[in-house]
Structure formats: C-alpha cells, structure tokens
Amino acid sequence: MKKKLVIITGISGAGKNTALEVFENQGYFCTDNLPGLVVEDFLRIIEEKEIDKTAISIDIRSKLLFVDLKEVLKKIQQNEYFDVRIIFLDSEDQVLVNRYKETRKNHPLSSEFSLLEGITQERRDMDAIKGIANYIYDTTNTTVKDLKKKILEDFGIEKKDSYHITISSFGYKYGIPIDADNIVDARFLRNPFYINELREKTGQDSEVFDYVFDDEVTKEFYDKYLELMTYMIDKYQYEGRDKVAIAVGCTGGKHRSVSIARKLYEDISKLGYRVYIEHRDINKGR
C-alpha cells in the first residue's frame, strides 16, 4: 500500500499553516517550510521509516535556492511509493496585504520587494505550481473554520474523526489543570474516602464507582452534566476546534472525580468521537 503524502504550497499568507495543522491533527508526520532542494532526500528517508502519512509545506523560499519546484513536484507525483496530493492555497492581493499588516509579519520576498510587489512576484513564480495542484483553495472570503472543514471533506475525513476529546480527573489539593477547557467540581458528591473499606481504593474499582453512582444526587448531577457536555462538545467542534479537554475534580483526585470521568468517557465514546482518558492524581499520596 502506498504511503500518503500531502504537499501544501501556494501564496504566502493564504493559509498554508492552517492547512498543515489539519493534517497534523490527523496524525500525519508534518514538516513546515521544507526547502525544495531537500524534498527528495527527505522522502527517501520517509520511504524507509514506518511513517504512513506525511504532510509537508513548501513555499516561495525554495525558489530562492534555484530549485524548479514544478519539476520537483511532478517527479514526486510519479513516485511509486507515495499517494501524492498537492494543495495550492491562494487569495486576493488586497486580502493578503491586510493579513500581513494585521500580523506584522514580513513577506518572504520583503528583502527584495515592497509587500504588494512581493505578492505579485510570488504569484508569477508560483503560477506553474498551481497548474499541477490537485486541490486549489481560494481563502479570500474563507474563514479558518471553513477552510479546515473543506479540506476534511475533500480528503474524505469524517468530522468526528478530525476531533478528539480528553477527559481527565484531578485533585484540587494538587492544583487545577492548566490545559483544561472545561472544569467541573465534584466535591459536593458524597465521598467514599470516609468509608474505611473504600478509602484505599479508587474510582477504578467497582465498589467505589458503585458507591458514588448509587447516590441520587450523583445520578441527577451526572444526567445534567452529560447533557451539558454533549451540547458543548458539539458547539466546540462547530466553531472549528480540533480538540477539547474536560477535567473533573474532587479533593484528592482518586474517588469521585475518577468515577465521574470514567462514566463520562464511556458515554461520550458512544457518540463516535475519539476520546482519551487520564487520571492525573490517582496514585498521589499513596
């Protein structure tokens, strides 16, 4: 089976980084701004490694190394080891000028030309590449969210497959997770810590899990919490998020939070999302 290779190129400022991020989130081995001079050497290394999906970004700076990008890419398209797809990103001049002014970045040809002149020259130099691209995206009136959505659709990637959720448990006594998008406090639920035979166990044990969920308060809370999280997860995705981190906390991060996180992981997994679970503090203090 051929290895997947996506080559992302086009006009600077048109969205190459956004496109590369889409494939990075799909588990592709990604390289940004790979000089055209070393592309073939790089691919020979990929051929020998256990890397099945690769995405590389190439821009106008490769031509400054006196490389005929069109010939390099046409040669790669004929490589028997790779299923090659070339993406070309473009945008209108005025939009590109506005983007550069907003970000205060320099155009790759800024040492030789003014901003608009650099864009015009780049467009001339890259025109031949545009003619051999498999996908051409004009981002003039396209949001980041819509560009990502279009790429996912064109490459046959299901929306849910492009999105993943991390659910974690933690103990407030050890600090709040700094990478969480949504945190819920489960310290109001009844605590297995005060039951002698459950104290040294965790929410991974059925006795603790059952104790937590046998309580009517827990059941009522969890039903409402699951409904809220299901709603929010869908909205996060709609806004173009590639991932979301949900954290459930209790005092020590061993009983209540672990039980709630376990149940949430089970129920959200049934919705078809890629879901990961981790228990940050489950072994602390032992």
Side-chain angles (χ1 to χ4, degrees):
M1 182 180 295
K2 289 186 176 184
K3 297 186 175 186
K4 294 181 179 180
L5 173 63
V6 178
I7 298 173
I8 300 167
T9 188
I11 306 303
S12 301
K16 291 194 296 295
N17 289 340
T18 296
L20 189 65
E21 183 183 337
V22 171
F23 294 98
E24 185 176 20
N25 289 329
Q26 289 302 306
Y28 280 66
F29 181 84
C30 294
T31 302
D32 186 17
N33 190 26
L34 187 68
L37 194 64
V38 301
V39 168
E40 292 184 81
D41 291 332
F42 173 77
L43 294 182
R44 276 193 285 271
I45 296 172
I46 296 297
E47 287 176 21
E48 300 171 1
K49 303 297 181 182
E50 293 183 1
I51 300 174
D52 297 323
K53 301 186 296 184
T54 305
I56 60 177
S57 173
I58 302 174
D59 66 20
I60 187 61
R61 282 168 284 193
S62 291
K63 292 190 72 68
L64 301 181
L65 299 175
F66 305 103
V67 174
D68 188 332
L69 272 182
K70 180 180 179 181
E71 291 305 312
V72 170
L73 297 184
K74 286 179 68 175
K75 188 174 180 181
I76 293 171
Q77 285 178 315
Q78 297 168 5
N79 190 308
E80 62 180 324
Y81 294 102
F82 293 100
D83 177 13
V84 184
R85 294 290 182 271
I86 299 175
I87 292 175
F88 190 97
L89 290 133
D90 201 351
S91 188
E92 291 181 359
D93 289 356
Q94 186 58 59
V95 172
L96 294 172
V97 169
N98 293 341
R99 289 174 184 172
Y100 273 104
K101 287 183 176 180
E102 289 171 2
T103 61
R104 299 183 181 180
K105 290 183 178 180
N106 291 325
H107 188 273
L109 301 181
S110 60
S111 61
E112 302 176 62
F113 304 98
S114 68
L115 177 54
L116 187 55
E117 289 172 338
I119 293 171
T120 301
Q121 183 61 45
E122 181 181 25
R123 200 177 293 285
R124 291 196 199 102
D125 291 341
M126 299 296 285
D127 190 58
I129 307 300
K130 189 174 183 178
I132 64 171
N134 302 99
Y135 304 94
I136 299 173
Y137 299 115
D138 186 333
T139 64
T140 299
N141 299 305
T142 304
T143 65
V144 169
K145 179 178 69 175
D146 289 338
L147 176 59
K148 289 182 177 181
K149 181 180 178 182
K150 180 61 176 172
I151 293 173
L152 292 172
E153 289 174 350
D154 286 348
F155 280 78
I157 302 170
E158 290 291 332
K159 194 175 180 183
K160 286 185 177 180
D161 292 338
S162 69
Y163 180 61
H164 72 266
I165 301 156
T166 300
I167 298 171
S168 63
S169 65
F170 72 95
Y172 275 92
K173 66 190 293 184
Y174 301 111
I176 295 174
I178 62 173
D179 59 343
D181 298 299
N182 187 285
I183 296 175
V184 68
D185 186 349
R187 287 177 293 183
F188 67 92
L189 303 178
R190 68 176 185 176
N191 195 350
F193 177 83
Y194 296 109
I195 307 300
N196 289 333
E197 57 268 29
L198 300 180
R199 182 171 301 166
E200 298 306 317
K201 296 181 183 294
T202 74
Q204 297 279 52
D205 297 300
S206 59
E207 300 96 323
V208 172
F209 183 88
D210 291 343
Y211 178 85
V212 171
F213 273 93
D214 280 345
D215 185 54
E216 290 302 318
V217 173
T218 301
K219 292 176 182 177
E220 182 181 5
F221 156 72
Y222 181 77
D223 287 344
K224 294 178 179 179
Y225 181 54
L226 177 61
E227 182 179 4
L228 175 63
M229 286 299 97
T230 302
Y231 174 83
M232 292 185 69
I233 286 168
D234 179 68
K235 297 307 177 186
Y236 277 132
Q237 187 178 19
Y238 177 78
E239 288 301 317
R241 296 285 294 274
D242 295 306
K243 54 186 176 292
V244 62
I246 300 169
V248 184
C250 64
T251 304
K254 296 178 178 61
H255 300 105
R256 294 165 291 182
S257 62
V258 174
S259 300
I260 298 298
R262 272 185 60 192
K263 179 66 171 163
L264 194 63
Y265 169 79
E266 293 169 4
D267 289 335
I268 292 180
S269 295
K270 295 174 184 175
L271 301 177
Y273 295 104
R274 284 190 294 158
V275 189
Y276 305 94
I277 188 167
E278 55 187 33
H279 302 295
R280 192 191 72 178
D281 301 324
I282 196 169
N283 293 314
K284 289 183 179 178
R286 285 189 164 187

